[in-house]
């Protein structure tokens, strides 16, 4: 398929290139047998390690600090999502504490994102996990109703910042339930369904958004929590794969954004 304008330059693949090329001071070119990393056309995964900076989050008697634990999990998650071919963005990758709006803005910079906020609870049955999707305390405003228009219509730009998640409540809830099922498979005794809750960092996200909370910082040994990282990672990657199956290789990759189902 590729047009080669200069066929005489073709060399047998196994033989070294005879012509001198510009000096490569980097590591030698890898052998052609190394498979390219998977390229997955799909949502950008926004991973939000909650808290940070002066906000430690929950703290346990054994010295576990939520802000550090969720950052560790976030980095683990990023590695696995990237291995699966996803583009991943962390809302923080150090001991900073972005505002809720900054965290949402990170997600809203991408037209097709999935937002996952990570927490570790101070309470709850040890070794369990709970997923939340956002719940507003008040009904939709008129402006939001007007904005709940077909994707691409100009009125979508009228959505107030703090109402951004309202257009995704149903989608987020569906994703949250998917996540909860996957978590339940790996952390028995976890609740069977997700919970709607006003998790503040989800409110301004204009994308499917969930928060996952592990229990808890009260574990007597931090290794108990560390050991939840691997199954957490698998549960979330699997959930995204189920929520947004990869398009067929030759498929149409446009129009895959998922607004609230049934929005009209
Ligand atoms: Zn938290």
């Amino acid at each position: 398929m590729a047009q080669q304008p200069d066929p005489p330059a073709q060399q047998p693949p196994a033989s070294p290139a005879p012509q001198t090329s510009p000096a490569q001071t980097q590591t030698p070119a890898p052998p052609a047998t190394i498979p390219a990393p998977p390229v997955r056309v799909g949502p950008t995964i926004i991973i939000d390690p909650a808290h940070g900076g002066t906000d430690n989050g929950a703290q346990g008697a054994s010295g576990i600090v939520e802000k550090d634990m969720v950052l560790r999990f976030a980095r683990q998650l990023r590695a696995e999502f990237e291995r699966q071919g996803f583009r991943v963005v962390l809302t923080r990758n150090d001991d900073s504490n972005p505002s809720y709006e900054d965290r949402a803005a990170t997600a809203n910079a991408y037209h097709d994102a999935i937002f996952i906020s990570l927490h570790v609870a101070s309470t709850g049955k040890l070794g369990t996990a709970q997923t939340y999707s956002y719940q507003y305390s008040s009904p939709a405003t008129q402006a939001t109703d007007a904005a709940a228009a077909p994707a691409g219509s100009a009125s979508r730009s009228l959505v107030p910042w703090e109402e951004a998640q309202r257009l995704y409540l149903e989608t987020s809830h569906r994703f949250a339930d998917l996540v909860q099922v996957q978590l339940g498979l790996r952390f028995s005794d976890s609740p069977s369904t997700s919970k709607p809750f006003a998790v503040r960092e989800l409110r301004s996200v204009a994308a499917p958004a969930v928060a996952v909370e592990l229990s808890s910082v009260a574990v007597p040994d931090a290794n108990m929590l560390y050991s939840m990282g691997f199954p957490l990672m698998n549960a979330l990657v699997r959930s995204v794969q189920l929520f947004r199956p990869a398009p067929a290789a030759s498929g149409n990759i446009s129009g895959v954004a998922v607004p609230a189902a049934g929005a009209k």
Side-chain angles (χ1 to χ4, degrees), residues 130-134 176 180 194-197 199 202 209-213:
Q130 175 67 64
T131 313
Y132 299 91
S133 60
Y134 196 75
Q180 191 60 38
S194 69
K195 282 184 190 166
F197 191 76
V199 182
L202 306 183
V210 300
V212 173
E213 188 173 60

Side-chain angles (χ1 to χ4, degrees), residues 9 20 39 48 59 88 101 129 173 175 199 204 230:
T20 53
V39 176
D48 174 48
Q59 288 180 264
V88 180
E101 304 310 330
H173 187 205
F175 179 52
V199 182
S204 299
F230 189 72

Side-chain angles (χ1 to χ4, degrees), residues 165-185:
Q165 180 59 200
R166 203 183 283 278
L167 298 180
Y168 295 87
L169 290 180
E170 190 178 329
T171 315
S172 294
H173 187 205
R174 185 162 57 83
F175 179 52
D177 273 343
L178 263 176
V179 171
Q180 191 60 38
V181 167
Q182 293 300 317
L183 291 171
L185 292 173

Side-chain angles (χ1 to χ4, degrees), residues 128-146:
T128 64
Q130 175 67 64
T131 313
Y132 299 91
S133 60
Y134 196 75
Q135 182 177 53
Y136 284 90
S137 57
S138 61
T141 64
Q142 198 173 9
T144 309
D145 285 341

